[in-house]
Structure formats: C-alpha cells, structure tokens
Amino acid sequence: DGGITQSPKYLFRKEGQNVTLSCEQNLNHDAMYWYRQDPGQGLRLIYYSQIVNDFQKGDIAEGYSVSREKKESFPLTVTSAQKNPTAFYLCASGTGTGELFFGEGSRLTVL
Amino acid sequence: ELKVEQNPLFLSMQEGKNYTIYCNYSTTSDRLYWYRQDPGKSLESLFVLLSNGAVKQEGRLMASLDTKARLSTLHITAAVHDLSATYFCAVDGDDDMRFGAGTRLTVKP
C-alpha cells in the first residue's frame, strides 16, 4: 500500500542527546515536510524539501537538522540544541502543488 | 509572509445544530485544504479546493473557497458526536503549506 511511514511512534530522550526520526514514503512525491505540533496548537513548519539533495528551513528550524539523500526518505534529527523538543512530530509528503499526506506521527518526550 | 487565521478556535455545539468555521489567509492563493485530526492522531485530508468558487461536500460537511475574499468556510450541518475533532485549514503558499491554528470542535448530545 502507498503511504508514509514514520518511526518510532514514541521516543524518549534524555537531555543532551540527539535523536533521529524516520520518515519514508512510497507515493513517489517530490516534496516532503516536517511539522511540529505542541498540545492544543497548530502545525509549525520545521523543514521542507522540494527535491532530492535540497531542503529549506521552515519557521522553527533551530535545533533541528534534515537530509534528503533519497526521494523516499526525509529523516529529522532533533539535536541537543533544541531546548524544548517535547512535541508531536508529523512528516508529510506532497506533489509540491497539492494536498499533503501525513504519516501517523512521532511523539518525542524529553526526560 | 502567508498567514492563515481560523475562527473560532474552540467550538462546542449540540447535536443537530449547524455551524460554520472560517479560514482567512493573507496572500493570494487558489489552493486551500481542510484536514481533520482526532486526539493523538495524524491529520486526515477532508477537502481540496483548487479554484475560486469551489464547493465540496462530504456527508454533513461542506467546504467552500472565495479566493477574492481570501476566505474559506467549513459548514457543519446537523452535527453529530462523531464530528468531534480538530479541524485545520491549510493554504498553499509559494513553497510550503501554511496551517491555521485549528478549530477544536466538540459536539454534545
């Protein structure tokens, strides 16, 4: 089945650790996005990529890094520089000119 | 910079009633999307509106787009409990998709 797979679904991190969230899609979409959602809030854009080997910062990129080495994959690393990383992280893909399709999300908690 | 505003942010309504959620945006765009999110879950696409005057309906929900007014509405008819969720509008900007803050809808018996 075509879709977007995020892993892990739940992740706990100690302060000072980097963690990487995986996002894989088999929809053949060029564009991929990472959003952060805090409780009761909307979605804020962290990074997006319109094409392989290229990506742009969104509104809240500080403390995060991404790579886009393959069309199917857009992993997000939450670095120790991100001071308040506890949140729900959503990955999405799209054609670049249309609706987005979302993964199931990854819930990160800092202990 | 594209800004997207939804109102109301919270909506409590009784079953059987009608209501409308509004989505305003700040710059020219003719592509607007509505999503639904259940608690703790991801976003599910509801409607794709791609031109001025577009109207889409699915069950008790109807969405419309007025690109000249930069306004979209999501109308709820005869609400039922199953519609309780958070609804987001999103507008296609130059390079990215901007989301409204969401409207948390609670439908009470």
Side-chain angles (χ1 to χ4, degrees), chain B residues 50-61:
Chain B
L50 299 179
S51 61
N52 186 41
V55 177
K56 296 278 184 74
Q57 182 162 7
E58 180 74 32
R60 300 174 188 275
L61 300 178

Side-chain angles (χ1 to χ4, degrees), chain A residues 24-38:
Chain A
E24 303 278 332
Q25 55 101 357
N26 60 6
L27 299 168
N28 200 33
H29 286 162
D30 287 316
M32 296 187 75
Y33 306 79
W34 274 105
Y35 290 90
R36 169 179 171 144
Q37 187 178 33
D38 292 284

Side-chain angles (χ1 to χ4, degrees), chain A residues 29 46 55 66 96 98 110:
Chain A
H29 286 162
I46 306 173
F55 48 83
V66 293
V110 173

